[in-house]
């Protein structure tokens, strides 16, 4: 079935550093891919999505490109801020199309 | 447009009790999904409701149940609580299909003592 693997954390960066969080997937067909973010004590917020191969999702300076050749959907940001500190989840729809499958999450900590 | 709301935000129960959690989806959204989030298992799908019918179900015991009302609001119930049921329970709504973009509520933090 469909699955997603994301890099283990935590990721610790200084403010204005470049961020990459790796996400790779296994899927039948080309399901939509998502990045969600969870701030401390809160639920999940949709950060960005891509619905087909070669699509680039972007939001709040974050970007991710749906790459079918490498089955990847890596999250990037050129200059992180302290306020970006959170847990980031990569997700895709399961093979039956009935639910989201999430990666284990990557904790990002940004210091000033 | 108001987001997904969940009540209560925090609950403390003891083993053997039962609990009911509530979720109000975004206006116009007809699909409601529930997820359990724990440190060990991560985010796991519980079930999904559409037009008052359970359309999909994850791999959880029968102690976990839910329902959806005609206004799309949903409740989930956990009976005979166990310590392992302590988790953040997240509700998500989408327009029509569970494959549509899902928007999450803030969650209900359940602690079982």
């Amino acid at each position: 079935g469909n699955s997603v693997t994301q890099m283990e954390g935590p990721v610790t960066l200084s403010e204005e550093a470049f961020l990459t969080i790796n996400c790779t997937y296994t899927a039948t067909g080309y399901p939509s891919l998502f990045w969600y973010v969870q701030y401390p004590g809160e639920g999940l917020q949709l950060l960005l999505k891509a619905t087909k191969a070669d699509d680039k999702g972007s939001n709040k300076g974050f970007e991710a490109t749906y790459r079918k050749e490498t089955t990847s959907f890596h999250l990037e940001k050129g200059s992180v801020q302290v306020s970006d500190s959170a847990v980031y989840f990569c997700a895709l729809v399961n093979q039956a199309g009935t639910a989201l499958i999430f990666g284990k999450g990557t904790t990002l900590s940004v210091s000033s | 447009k108001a987001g997904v709301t969940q009540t209560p935000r925090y609950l403390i129960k003891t083993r053997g009790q039962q609990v009911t959690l509530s979720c109000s989806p975004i206006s116009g959204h007809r699909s409601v999904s529930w997820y359990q989030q724990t440190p060990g298992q991560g985010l796991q799908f519980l079930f999904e409701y559409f037009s008052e019918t359970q359309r999909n179900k994850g791999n959880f015991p029968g102690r976990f149940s839910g329902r959806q009302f005609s206004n799309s609001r949903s409740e989930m119930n956990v009976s005979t609580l166990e310590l392992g049921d302590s988790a953040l329970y997240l509700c998500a709504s989408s327009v029509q299909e569970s494959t549509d973009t899902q928007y999450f509520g803030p969650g209900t933090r359940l602690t079982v003592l």
Side-chain angles (χ1 to χ4, degrees), chain A residues 70-86:
Chain A
T70 54
T71 62
S72 64
F73 192 55
H74 303 324
L75 182 68
E76 297 181 335
K77 187 176 185 182
S79 176
V80 294
Q81 306 300 312
V82 173
S83 57
D84 293 327
S85 297

Side-chain angles (χ1 to χ4, degrees), chain A residues 32 34 36 38 41-46 49 89 93 97-100 102-104, chain B residues 9-10 35 37 40-41 43 45 48 56 88 90 98-99 101-106:
Chain A
S32 295
F34 305 85
Y36 281 87
Q38 186 174 35
E42 298 184 12
L44 299 177
Q45 296 180 23
L46 177 66
K49 67 177 183 178
F89 294 91
V93 179
T98 56
L100 288 173
F102 290 88
K104 293 195 177 297
Chain B
R9 291 293 310 275
Y10 302 92
Y35 293 82
Q37 185 178 23
Q41 299 299 316
L43 282 149
F45 171 70
E48 184 237 354
N56 300 297
L88 181 67
L90 293 164
S98 53
T99 51
T101 299
Q102 296 189 22
Y103 296 89
F104 285 78

Side-chain angles (χ1 to χ4, degrees), chain B residues 3-75:
Chain B
V4 178
T5 58
Q6 292 187 245
T7 57
R9 291 293 310 275
Y10 302 92
L11 266 178
I12 299 176
K13 293 286 187 179
T14 57
R15 280 180 297 173
Q17 288 187 310
Q18 74 166 15
V19 67
T20 299
L21 314 181
S22 180
C23 170
S24 292
I26 292 171
S27 177
H29 285 194
R30 298 172 64 191
S31 170
V32 174
S33 298
W34 289 88
Y35 293 82
Q36 181 195 63
Q37 185 178 23
T38 59
Q41 299 299 316
L43 282 149
Q44 294 184 286
F45 171 70
L46 279 156
F47 29 63
E48 184 237 354
Y49 285 86
F50 179 82
S51 291
E52 302 178 65
T53 301
Q54 186 182 89
R55 193 164 57 175
N56 300 297
K57 189 177 189 308
N59 189 26
F60 277 82
R63 300 186 296 107
F64 292 82
S65 63
R67 59 178 175 168
Q68 186 181 35
F69 302 94
S70 58
N71 61 358
S72 294
R73 190 177 71 85
S74 178
E75 290 180 346

